[in-house]
Amino acid sequence: MRTYRQLFRTPEFTPFFLTSSFQVAAQTVSGPALGTQIYAATGSPLLSALAMFGPSLAQVIGAATLLSAADRLPPRAALTGLALVLGLGTAVQAVPGLPVWAAFAVLLGLGTAGSLGGGVRYGLLDEILAREGYLLGRSVLNMSGGVMQIGGFAVGGVLVSTLSARGTLLAGAALHCAAAAVARYGLGRRPSRATGR
């Protein structure tokens, strides 16, 4: 597999690509919204920065404790369920009057759970693409992730200024739900790659 056309003609790669892109976009759009909301409540730049980038720190905890589950869960169910959990958690962060400590507790939970996503995605990518297509597929996912992050921060900033922080969080939750729908209806059913502890 040498071309992008061949890559996107591979069965299941396009829904897989869209699921991954929607999730990165949802997380990136939600970051400035949550940071803005925390700053408005506390006036603390440090807490605002932790709200924006805390999920990445929490993924370290998840990687150390949960990552082995990535091979022990059916991939389609794991990606769908994870996207729904992330969407629900993002919507909870938009609840008016949510205490700051509760927003950070949800953030920690989402980041920890989100650490499973990478393991499940890259394991599934190996199953969807032949060995010679894996590097090209992974490269496309990495490029897409970068584009979604750059565009997501820009769009997130525009949405915060036009909708509100809460409205932007709800938009992020909707993107997570879109990722769940694409994963559920676009990916095939597969067994888990491993069993046991």
Side-chain angles (χ1 to χ4, degrees):
M1 185 172 302
R2 295 180 177 273
T3 67
Y4 295 127
R5 180 177 295 174
Q6 290 173 325
L7 181 67
F8 282 96
R9 282 184 178 169
T10 303
E12 294 186 271
F13 182 78
T14 298
F16 176 83
F17 172 81
L18 291 173
T19 298
S20 178
S21 297
F22 283 157
Q23 284 197 291
V24 173
Q27 290 171 347
T28 309
V29 163
S30 301
L34 187 60
T36 300
Q37 194 165 285
I38 295 297
Y39 186 78
T42 66
S44 169
L46 175 62
L47 290 178
S48 180
L50 285 174
M52 285 183 68
F53 301 106
S56 298
L57 298 174
Q59 285 184 359
V60 173
I61 297 169
T65 58
L66 300 176
L67 198 55
S68 64
D71 289 329
R72 288 159 178 77
L73 297 169
R76 182 179 73 178
L79 290 177
T80 303
L82 182 60
L84 289 174
V85 166
L86 293 173
L88 178 62
T90 303
V92 166
Q93 290 174 328
V95 170
L98 185 72
V100 172
W101 66 266
F104 275 102
V106 171
L107 188 74
L108 179 65
L110 293 180
T112 303
S115 65
L116 279 173
V120 172
R121 274 193 297 274
Y122 289 120
L124 182 57
L125 179 65
D126 187 48
E127 293 182 23
I128 290 174
L129 298 177
R131 178 177 293 222
E132 64 273 7
Y134 182 84
L135 288 178
L136 182 62
R138 178 125 186 202
S139 173
V140 166
L141 288 182
N142 289 343
M143 287 188 293
S144 168
V147 168
M148 290 296 158
Q149 286 178 340
I150 293 167
F153 282 126
V155 170
V158 170
L159 289 177
V160 167
S161 64
T162 56
L163 291 177
S164 68
R166 285 188 177 84
T168 306
L169 285 169
L170 292 175
L175 284 170
H176 280 301
C177 291
V182 173
R184 172 62 182 85
Y185 297 108
L187 298 175
R189 190 176 197 176
R190 286 181 170 80
S192 56
R193 289 181 294 277
T195 58
R197 294 187 62 191

